[in-house]
Structures are given as C-alpha cells and as structure tokens.
Amino acid sequence: MTQHHEHAHDDHQHHDDGDHDHEHDHGPLAELVTVRDWLRYAVTRFNRSGIFCGHGVTDTFDEAAWLLLGSLALPLDRLEPFLDACIPGDERVALLDAIEQRADDRLPTAYILGEAWLGDFRFAVDPRVIVPRSFFAELLEDGLAPWIDDPASIGSALDMCTGSGCLAILMAHAFPNAEITGADLSEDALDVALQNVADYGLDNRIELVRTDVFSALDGRRYDLILSNPPYVTGEDMDALPPEYLHEPRMALAAGDDGLDIVRKLIEQGAAHLNAGGILAVEVGHNRAIVEEAFPELPFNWLSTRGGDDMVFVLRREDLPGGRD
C-alpha cells in the first residue's frame, strides 16, 4: 500500500510539473475540444475585449468563424460540417495564440492569417499593406457598368494607391484586354503587390510603379483611372479603433480634410486620361467634404450593397482641363 501511495504521489508530482510547464490540464487548452467549443470561447473573448470588426466582417461571430476556419485551413464558407470536430492539442495551442492576438493585441484577423478576401479573390497581406476592403470589389463585378459600356473596350487602366494590388488584379479580370498599372508610393506595399500579381499569373498584364500620385507617370494616359486612396481625416485618425493602428498610417491618413490625394487625382487626372476616359475614386463618408471642395464638378455618386455615396465617377471632359 505504501508503495502504491508513493507511486501515486510521484504521478501527481509529475502532473504538477506538466501543469506548470504546459498548463494543458485545465483552461482552454484542456477544456475546449471541438470547433463549437472554440467558436463560443472566441466570441466571448472578442465581446469582452470590445474588438472592432471593420476588416471584412461586421460582428464578432463572423470574426471568430473566420479566424478559426482560417487557422485550421478549413473552407471559410463551410462552418457547419466541422462544428463537432475535435481539435488536436497542437492545433489548440495555435488557436489560443490567434485568439489572444485578436482579443488582446487587437491585431486584425487578416494579418494573423496572412490573407484577406474580396469576394472570391484571395490576397496575401501583412502589416506592410492596408487590409483589402473596397466598394470597388462589388462595382467591378459588372465592369463598372453603366459607366463602361463594354469591358473589352478598356485597353489601359490605372489603379492608383494599389496597396496589396487587390484592385489591379480585380481590374485585370474585369477588363480582359486592359494593360494595368498598379501605382503606390510605398515600396513595402509594392513588394506585397508583386507577390499577389505573381500568385494570379498576371505579371505580363500588371505593371507595378512606385510613384507619388502621378509624379512618375508623366505622359501616360489611360482609359480608366480607379483609386481607393487614403482618405481618413485628421479628426477621424485620432479616433480610429486600435485595429486600424496596425495598418500603415500612410495608407489611411490624408491631411486634415482627408483630401490630400483626392485633390491631386481630380486636379491632375485629365492629363492622364484618354478622351472619354473615366476617373473613379472611393472616398468613404467624405461626400460632403468633396463636394464642398469642388462645388463646380458634376460628381456622379454610386450605390453599392455596402453603402451609397462612397464612390464618385467623373468623365475626363468634366475634370479640370478635361476639355483642352
């Protein structure tokens, strides 16, 4: 009996050491077994931490599902079949780390997973670039109709402030005959864009150019200039949720009124558009600021499922100097 008790004591001591080293005998790593368990845990952690959902999803449940499915290399649109699947110990460690990064560090899920999605298109991302999100993803599904009658007629297009290259890649798919230029001031962003362009096999159709707006594009004209530029006002920059502070500041901030880049696009755009060409720019909630700055321009504001009046379109002939 004594010997038995000694062995029991030894075993207990051994487990105590394991508890100290790994903490696997209690807490989330031991008690959460299935995808359903971890989903519930993640949603609770996110709600209690007050995370902000602004990078492709709108609530903590979708954020948790995205993080879990992505971390487990499962299809992002097929949660239900996997809810009762058991998660092995090594995968639980990685899941807990991912949840803590999202809840405690407020790191965007796209950076944790190294990927983001616009519709059916996947893009590699990391903190060198802004997380892809744009109303243009929807507008390009039908080739910017009705502003562009025939997508096949677009021979050249510019994605100004291309970031990860996501919109340049969407444009290459929407306009099958177009040579695309993806332009950005950030060398880091262009490195990420280069990877995404290569992933889609579009090296021969998308040229990446480092430029401060149009500074390195003298003499070049396009049928379409599209831009989702930095447009956050100084006041809004000061109030951004922590998630956005992980993104490059230069991809968000655009002066006190948010129009530093938009002004250059409008004032210099005509010189870089072919006759009949179009300038399309996303400005978020800044419609009133834009119209106050350029009261003489006939802005056309587009509607999308995600919101109205976030994107304007101007024809070359309506831009300053566009009739010269």
Side-chain angles (χ1 to χ4, degrees):
M1 291 290 293
T2 305
Q3 187 179 28
H4 172 76
H5 283 299
E6 286 176 352
H7 280 291
H9 178 77
D10 288 344
D11 288 344
H12 181 69
Q13 184 66 46
H14 173 74
H15 286 304
D16 282 348
D17 291 342
D19 287 350
H20 180 74
D21 291 339
H22 304 291
E23 298 181 353
H24 282 190
D25 286 350
H26 57 82
L29 294 175
E31 297 165 6
L32 304 179
V33 177
T34 66
V35 172
R36 190 188 304 274
D37 294 338
W38 280 92
L39 181 65
R40 196 285 308 165
Y41 177 76
V43 173
T44 298
R45 288 283 283 111
F46 295 168
N47 286 337
R48 287 176 175 163
S49 296
I51 70 164
F52 185 83
C53 302
H55 290 106
V57 298
T58 57
D59 59 53
T60 53
F61 177 87
D62 286 345
E63 187 95 36
W66 177 22
L67 181 60
L68 263 63
L69 291 169
S71 297
L72 295 171
L74 296 172
L76 297 183
D77 58 350
R78 300 286 301 280
L79 172 62
E80 190 67 30
F82 303 104
L83 280 172
D84 296 314
C86 295
I87 300 174
D90 58 336
E91 289 186 316
R92 295 182 203 178
V93 174
L95 271 187
L96 184 61
D97 182 56
I99 291 169
E100 289 177 343
Q101 286 186 75
R102 186 68 191 88
D104 298 336
D105 301 336
R106 303 291 289 273
L107 191 66
T109 294
Y111 289 156
I112 297 171
L113 298 178
E115 66 178 24
W117 294 78
L118 285 178
D120 294 331
F121 290 79
R122 176 199 176 277
F123 302 100
V125 295
D126 61 43
R128 291 177 294 172
V129 292
I130 192 171
V131 176
R133 53 188 182 276
S134 176
F135 297 104
F136 280 120
E138 175 186 341
L139 296 169
L140 287 170
E141 289 175 3
D142 59 359
L144 279 179
W147 297 98
I148 294 174
D149 294 329
D150 178 12
S153 69
I154 301 297
S156 58
L158 169 65
D159 174 22
M160 178 60 72
C161 305
T162 194
S164 62
C166 56
L167 294 184
I169 289 167
L170 294 185
M171 291 165 74
H173 285 83
F175 308 114
N177 297 323
E179 295 296 316
I180 312 290
T181 300
D184 207 289
L185 180 58
S186 167
E187 289 186 15
D188 282 344
L190 291 172
D191 284 343
V192 178
L194 189 65
Q195 176 184 342
N196 284 314
V197 169
D199 286 347
Y200 279 94
L202 290 168
D203 311 68
N204 61 335
R205 288 190 54 207
I206 298 178
E207 175 193 13
L208 298 174
V209 177
R210 183 172 185 265
T211 178
D212 186 356
V213 195
F214 293 113
S215 64
L217 298 172
D218 283 349
R220 300 181 62 166
R221 291 177 178 262
Y222 304 89
D223 297 328
L224 168 66
I225 297 174
L226 178 150
S227 184
N228 180 17
Y231 55 70
V232 181
T233 65
E235 181 179 358
D236 287 344
M237 281 297 298
D238 292 336
L240 284 178
E243 281 80 357
Y244 294 112
L245 302 182
H246 290 280
E247 297 182 301
R249 182 180 177 86
M250 68 181 292
L252 298 169
D256 286 344
D257 64 1
L259 299 186
D260 281 3
I261 308 299
V262 175
R263 276 195 184 81
K264 294 179 180 179
L265 292 170
I266 290 175
E267 292 168 354
Q268 304 171 31
H272 295 276
L273 283 168
N274 294 321
I278 289 173
L279 172 68
V281 182
E282 182 170 328
V283 295
H285 296 282
N286 291 352
R287 173 175 176 168
I289 300 174
V290 171
E291 290 184 330
E292 183 178 353
F294 297 94
E296 73 285 1
L297 296 184
F299 292 102
N300 302 283
W301 295 93
L302 307 187
S303 295
T304 66
R305 295 185 297 269
D308 297 337
D309 302 345
M310 310 287 189
V311 175
F312 70 74
V313 168
L314 288 168
R315 297 194 181 277
R316 180 183 189 274
E317 291 70 24
D318 293 325
L319 288 165
R323 296 183 184 275
D324 297 345

